[in-house]
Amino acid sequence: MRLCTVLTAAVSVAAAVSVAAAAALTAPAASAATAAPAPARAATPCQERDLRVSAGPGPGQNTARISVVNEGGRACAVDRVPTVTFRGLDGSAQPVPPATSGPYVLSPGEHGYAAVRTAAPGTAEGHVVPSLSVAADPAHYGVTFGATALGVPDGIRVWEPVTTLWHTSRGAADRALEAGTH
């Protein structure tokens, strides 16, 4: 094939694509009644670097409040069950009410709140540990918080720990913990 023929073919293809694109832009739009709904887009998983995880004392004895904020530029999803583990112990806090993994979508700047009960008030059972770790998603490393940061400088008493799902407010998380532990 000669060079002129190759160039002519390439220009012809580019012109055909341009004409087709222009026709698509000028075609009448489908009416709202006949248009197919746009498929729901699932948020992509949050990157750990785009999240800020915090923990502090809770409203009662042996409780903590945790939060996560999306500091990234787009909506993303964490697991709806925060992963709360305790230094030196196997396993993690169980969700109340019982739940399985699923997405919890955070828009940019949006917070999620959860509450954790490490042991029943006044219990002498369990173990005392120096820290707990919180991850917004089980695939993340998480952030570790010492007992002093949680308001218990003598250590965190752990016996059958539970956590709520993420909620839109601290109050909602506190109420879910209260309702789930009776």
Side-chain angles (χ1 to χ4, degrees):
M1 190 184 280
R2 300 172 72 192
L3 183 57
C4 284
T5 308
V6 172
L7 289 176
T8 303
V11 170
S12 297
V13 169
V17 169
S18 295
V19 170
L25 290 174
T26 59
S31 72
T34 61
R41 288 181 28 195
T44 59
C46 294
Q47 297 295 311
E48 191 165 12
R49 69 178 174 267
D50 291 335
L51 300 174
R52 182 173 27 98
V53 176
S54 305
Q61 183 183 8
N62 298 327
T63 63
R65 286 184 172 143
I66 58 177
S67 67
V68 61
V69 62
N70 177 1
E71 294 183 332
R74 66 178 90 195
C76 61
V78 296
D79 196 298
R80 69 182 183 153
V81 180
T83 302
V84 181
T85 57
F86 304 89
R87 184 169 179 190
L89 301 178
D90 290 337
S92 60
Q94 296 301 300
V96 293
T100 58
S101 291
Y104 184 83
V105 178
L106 293 167
S107 295
E110 187 175 15
H111 289 77
Y113 301 93
V116 178
R117 188 201 71 210
T118 61
T123 189
E125 296 180 281
H127 302 278
V128 176
V129 298
S131 62
L132 65 77
S133 296
V134 179
D137 191 278
H140 295 171
Y141 288 107
V143 180
T144 299
F145 301 93
T148 302
L150 301 175
V152 285
D154 294 333
I156 303 164
R157 180 158 301 279
V158 182
W159 181 254
E160 298 179 349
V162 294
T163 184
T164 66
L165 306 180
W166 293 113
H167 292 273
T168 58
S169 71
R170 286 181 185 94
D174 291 346
R175 288 187 297 278
L177 184 64
E178 183 67 25
T181 57
H182 289 291

